[in-house]
């Protein structure tokens, strides 16, 4: 039989090392699905229950493997549903290829069914975005799509009318200039090395610094040893942006943990008192947490030159891979004898960790959300992969679950969307079948895509879903109160028995209500050989307090209570009781 456009597309994917695609079949992609069926021994098709989950899974697959993540959806609504997950990939700079279908090529633009021109819709999200015009067009476009997604660490999108997917390919279809084989070579680009002039300037700045902070982000995830060696040589403190949680293990003597609203007090203190800031692979978006522009001299390492100086005015910009740049700095900077800045940070970290343990071991009823996170953190394996979600859950993940050397952790960083925790976990377990994979999520985020728990059951993926069930859109609730001083409104969620949902899907469900039972139930859940949901019923009135409460935030909080926030007395009592216990 003659080879089709769909067959050629799959050829290109195989050539580029694609081994997994997440998606849902549909009549707008039937030709591609048939081509995938014929190559099912080479590319796994993971069927999800919602296209948004497919895009999130492709993003998670890229995050956890470093390879090209691929998702596929049918024409019209299927392609539209991919968008949120694709924006997650765009904003966190992950290489993802989205494949969609269009209606019959000669009916596009005629108000036919599902007549959505997806290439136009994807103009903002994609670094490469093209419509395939026929079988002779496929190889060129698909090759450039894969190359662009990997080169620019972003989203590539290709869409093809359904009738053209089954078009037979032949050399006689080529245009005269479309010479066979002219655009098929794969590539292995060398990582850029910072310029000598910028390197000398960076060394001079670091040598002059007395109170150095290294801000480690997603770009430094593979430079753990280099970060610690540079910190040891310079007496620096390592603080971590959210996506850089796993850049350095939390038991490292050089790190004080996360920064920002979800961060730690010693990290914030280090940034407020440093005289030198080295930003390593991060464009942490919350500018208010950086040092004042005239307070600290700045050096930045980033593989993207457009991001140098984006958040903080730097005097030296090292364009290149973090690991390579840090190796060069380690060789050149002078040893710093004064360790007082680091020692103060270490003392602050010890005090902070005692506070985190106190919060994580409370026996109050209803159970505090920190308890489940603390108990989970103690039980994660050294090679665990943890996917988090957005909301108050991210606060407990950032503070209460320490990262170990060898683990991987991620969440939706810059998009900060709800719902990717479950699809990320599915992707991680597909990629690493022998590793422990846990999704630590909230009840609001999980319920958005919870039907995809059945995907884990279908493919026998032993993921563990730990749900922080506070019966609320908690982050929104506290933002309404603390950011604006408004009473909380429409944030309560109708309860769902998530353990029963898990059982209905064919998995295993557990429920935790009492902190005394938390550890034992988590042990049973983590030991179960199949997919599991653990429904942790926690205090809905426990606030995700910032490390340092600002006077304006406290005033807004009091104003919100006075203006009629539901359960105002209970909330006030909870906050007062928590703070009184910590002071005592």
């Amino acid at each position: 039989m003659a080879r089709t456009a769909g067959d050629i597309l799959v050829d290109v994917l195989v050539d580029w090392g694609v081994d997994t695609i997440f998606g849902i079949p549909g009549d707008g992609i039937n030709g591609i699905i048939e081509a995938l069926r014929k190559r099912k021994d080479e590319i796994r098709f993971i069927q999800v229950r919602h296209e948004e989950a497919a895009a999130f899974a492709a993003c998670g697959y890229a995050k956890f493997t470093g390879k090209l993540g691929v998702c596929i959806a049918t024409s019209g609504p299927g392609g539209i549903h991919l968008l949120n997950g694709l924006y997650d990939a765009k904003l966190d700079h992950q290489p993802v290829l989205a494949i969609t279908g269009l209606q019959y090529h000669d009916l596009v633009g005629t108000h036919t069914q599902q007549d959505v021109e997806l290439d136009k819709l994807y103009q903002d999200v994609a670094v490469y975005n093209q419509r395939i015009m026929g079988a002779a067009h496929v190889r060129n476009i698909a090759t450039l799509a894969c190359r662009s997604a990997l080169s620019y660490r972003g989203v590539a999108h290709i869409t093809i009318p359904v009738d053209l997917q089954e078009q037979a390919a032949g050399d006689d279809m080529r245009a005269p200039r479309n010479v066979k084989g002219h655009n098929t070579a794969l590539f292995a680009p060398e990582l850029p090395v910072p310029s000598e002039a910028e390197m000398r300037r960076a060394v001079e700045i670091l040598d002059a610094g007395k109170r150095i902070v290294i801000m480690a982000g997603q770009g430094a995830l593979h430079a753990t040893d280099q970060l610690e060696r540079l910190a040891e040589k310079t007496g620096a403190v390592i603080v971590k942006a959210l996506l850089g949680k796993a850049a350095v293990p939390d038991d490292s003597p050089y790190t004080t943990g996360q920064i920002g609203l979800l961060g730690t007090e010693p990290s914030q203190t280090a940034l407020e008192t440093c005289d030198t800031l080295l930003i390593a692979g991060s464009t942490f978006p919350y500018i208010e947490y950086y040092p004042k522009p005239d307070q600290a001299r700045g050096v930045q390492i980033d593989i993207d030159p457009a991001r140098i100086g984006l958040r903080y005015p730097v005097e030296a910009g090292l364009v290149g891979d973090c690991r390579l740049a840090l190796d060069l700095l380690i060789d050149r900077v002078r040893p710093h004898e004064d360790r007082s800045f680091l020692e103060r940070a270490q003392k602050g970290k010890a005090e902070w960790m005692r506070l985190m343990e106190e919060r994580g071991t409370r026996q109050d009823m209803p159970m505090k959300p920190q308890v489940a996170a603390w108990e989970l953190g103690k039980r994660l394996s050294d090679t665990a992969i943890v996917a988090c979600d957005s909301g108050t859950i991210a606060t407990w993940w950032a503070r209460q679950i320490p990262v170990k050397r060898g683990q991987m952790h991620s969440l939706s960083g810059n998009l900060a969307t709800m719902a990717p925790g479950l699809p990320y976990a599915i992707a991680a377990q597909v990629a690493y079948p022998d590793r422990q994979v846990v999704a630590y999520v909230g009840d609001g985020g999980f319920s958005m895509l919870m039907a995809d728990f059945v995907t884990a059951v279908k493919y026998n993926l032993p993921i563990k879903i730990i749900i922080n069930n506070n019966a609320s859109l908690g982050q929104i609730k506290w933002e309404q109160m603390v950011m604006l001083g408004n009473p909380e409104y429409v944030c309560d969620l109708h309860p769902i028995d998530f353990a029963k949902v898990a059982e209905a899907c064919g998995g295993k469900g557990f429920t935790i209500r009492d902190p005394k039972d938390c550890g034992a139930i988590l042990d049973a859940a983590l030991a179960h050989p199949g997919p599991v949901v653990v429904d942790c019923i926690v205090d809905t009135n426990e606030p995700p307090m910032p490390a340092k409460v600002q006077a304006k935030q406290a005033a807004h909080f009091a104003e919100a209570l006075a203006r009629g926030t539901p359960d105002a007395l209970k909330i006030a009592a909870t906050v007062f009781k928590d703070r009184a216990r910590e002071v005592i």
Side-chain angles (χ1 to χ4, degrees):
M1 294 180 62
R3 295 178 56 69
T4 67
D7 293 326
I8 297 171
L9 173 57
V10 175
D11 286 344
V12 173
L13 297 180
V14 171
D15 288 345
W16 281 85
V18 173
D19 56 18
T20 304
I21 293 180
F22 301 91
I24 303 176
D27 60 1
I29 50 172
N30 276 340
I32 301 171
I33 295 296
E34 170 59 14
L36 289 168
R37 183 193 67 80
K38 292 186 288 187
R39 305 289 287 276
K40 61 185 177 182
D41 293 335
E42 297 171 86
I43 296 181
R44 296 171 291 188
F45 190 94
I46 304 298
Q47 178 208 74
V48 297
R49 291 302 183 96
H50 196 292
E51 291 91 353
E52 184 178 4
F56 279 138
C59 179
Y61 195 84
K63 284 188 172 185
F64 292 126
T65 67
K67 299 195 298 185
L68 182 64
V70 183
C71 54
I72 187 170
T74 191
S75 54
I80 295 169
H81 283 162
L82 290 177
L83 274 175
N84 196 43
L86 296 181
Y87 271 100
D88 187 36
K90 174 187 175 174
L91 269 63
D92 282 354
H93 317 294
Q94 296 304 316
V96 169
L97 171 64
I99 303 168
T100 63
L102 291 173
Q103 285 304 311
Y104 291 92
H105 80 279
D106 54 352
L107 290 178
V108 171
T110 68
H111 309 293
T112 191
Q113 186 184 38
Q114 297 189 343
D115 191 7
V116 178
E117 297 186 68
L118 294 172
D119 49 340
K120 295 179 180 178
L121 182 66
Y122 280 45
Q123 285 177 349
D124 178 66
V125 77
V127 298
Y128 185 84
N129 177 32
Q130 290 294 330
R131 182 184 302 191
I132 291 175
M133 309 298 288
H137 199 203
V138 174
R139 186 172 296 277
N140 289 344
I141 295 300
T143 297
L144 280 170
C146 295
R147 181 180 295 158
S148 298
L150 291 164
S151 298
Y152 297 112
R153 298 195 60 79
V155 174
H157 169 240
I158 53 179
T159 190
I160 178 171
V162 62
D163 53 323
L164 300 185
Q165 295 168 25
E166 298 184 11
Q167 187 179 65
D171 290 340
D172 58 339
M173 300 172 62
R174 292 178 174 275
R177 292 181 181 172
N178 188 8
V179 178
K180 187 175 183 179
H182 80 274
N183 186 27
T184 57
L186 304 183
F187 81 118
E190 293 186 4
L191 294 171
V193 178
S195 73
E196 179 61 26
E198 292 298 309
M199 182 60 64
R200 284 198 301 267
R201 191 174 294 114
V203 170
E204 180 271 321
I205 294 168
L206 293 174
D207 282 348
K210 298 183 183 302
R211 301 183 303 279
I212 301 172
V213 167
I214 302 171
M215 180 188 291
Q218 179 177 234
L221 288 175
H222 301 294
T224 302
D225 292 341
Q226 286 79 4
L227 289 167
E228 290 192 312
R229 285 164 54 205
L230 184 61
E232 167 61 28
K233 195 168 183 179
T234 61
V237 175
I238 302 172
V239 303
K240 298 185 289 186
L242 210 57
L243 288 174
K245 180 177 173 71
V248 176
D250 280 315
D251 62 2
S252 169
Y254 308 104
T255 188
T256 50
Q258 306 294 136
I259 55 173
L261 185 65
L262 316 184
T264 72
E265 185 170 356
S267 288
Q268 187 167 340
T269 298
L271 284 169
E272 290 171 350
T273 57
C274 70
D275 64 10
T276 307
L277 176 64
L278 169 60
I279 306 170
S282 176
T283 48
F284 178 70
Y286 297 100
I287 300 171
E288 63 269 29
Y289 288 97
Y290 287 78
K292 294 181 177 63
D294 57 350
Q295 169 195 323
R297 301 181 72 185
V299 177
Q300 185 172 356
I301 306 169
D302 204 289
I303 203 163
D304 182 356
R307 293 181 173 268
I308 298 293
L310 181 64
R311 307 289 186 216
Y312 189 80
V314 298
E315 298 177 46
L318 307 181
V319 178
D321 174 72
C322 264
R323 185 158 51 184
L324 291 175
L326 289 168
D327 273 332
L328 293 172
L329 288 175
I330 291 165
D331 289 341
R332 296 188 181 200
V333 297
R334 65 170 180 82
H336 290 221
E337 301 300 329
D338 184 359
R339 323 297 281 184
S340 58
F341 183 64
L342 176 59
E343 289 167 358
R344 285 194 299 273
Q346 290 169 335
K347 181 179 178 182
K349 176 185 176 181
E351 294 172 355
W352 177 264
M353 290 311 299
R354 284 192 290 271
L355 177 60
M356 292 302 99
E357 181 174 9
E358 192 276 331
R359 291 179 181 177
T361 55
R362 291 180 182 173
Q363 298 301 297
D364 306 55
M365 288 289 289
M367 184 172 67
K368 296 295 184 182
Q370 297 96 317
V371 172
W374 183 262
E375 293 295 337
L376 175 64
K378 294 192 297 184
R379 289 165 170 78
L380 293 174
S381 73
D382 291 346
T383 60
I385 302 173
V386 182
C388 188
D389 219 322
S390 296
T392 56
I393 192 75
T395 299
W396 319 133
W397 166 78
R399 295 177 177 172
Q400 237 69 37
I401 300 180
V403 61
K404 301 176 184 177
R405 187 180 297 270
Q407 291 180 345
M408 290 192 282
H409 289 244
S410 198
L411 80 173
S412 175
N414 285 297
L415 187 61
T417 180
M418 296 170 69
L422 171 60
Y424 274 21
I426 289 170
Q429 197 74 84
V430 168
Y432 301 99
D434 298 325
R435 293 179 68 164
Q436 182 187 62
V437 176
V438 174
Y440 182 61
V441 300
D443 53 326
F446 179 73
S447 62
M448 288 180 173
L449 290 174
M450 65 183 176
D452 263 292
F453 181 71
V454 81
T455 301
V457 175
K458 175 183 175 72
Y459 293 99
N460 195 28
L461 304 174
I463 61 174
K464 308 299 183 267
I465 312 299
I466 314 300
I467 301 175
N468 185 79
N469 188 350
N470 61 4
S472 174
L473 296 172
Q475 191 71 28
I476 308 303
K477 170 181 177 177
W478 297 106
E479 286 173 349
Q480 287 178 354
M481 298 166 65
V482 175
M483 299 301 180
L484 298 174
N486 293 332
E488 176 266 317
Y489 182 60
V490 294
C491 291
D492 290 342
L493 297 175
H494 192 76
I496 297 173
D497 189 331
F498 292 109
K500 287 184 177 179
V501 170
E503 301 283 349
C505 291
K508 182 70 173 175
F510 294 88
T511 301
I512 304 175
R513 297 181 183 275
D514 193 322
K516 295 193 298 293
D517 303 327
C518 188
I521 294 176
L522 284 175
D523 283 335
L526 294 172
H528 184 76
V532 171
V533 167
V534 181
D535 190 3
C536 304
I537 311 300
V538 300
D539 188 354
T540 190
N541 293 321
E542 180 69 15
M545 300 292 284
K548 294 184 178 181
V549 179
Q550 299 174 5
K552 185 176 181 180
Q553 293 171 328
H556 280 162
F557 179 63
E559 182 183 0
L561 296 180
R563 291 177 60 195
T565 287
D567 291 330
L569 293 178
K570 290 182 180 179
I571 293 171
T574 298
V575 174
F576 177 79
K577 183 179 179 182
D578 287 351
R579 286 305 185 203
R581 178 182 289 144
E582 290 164 9
V583 170
I584 293 170

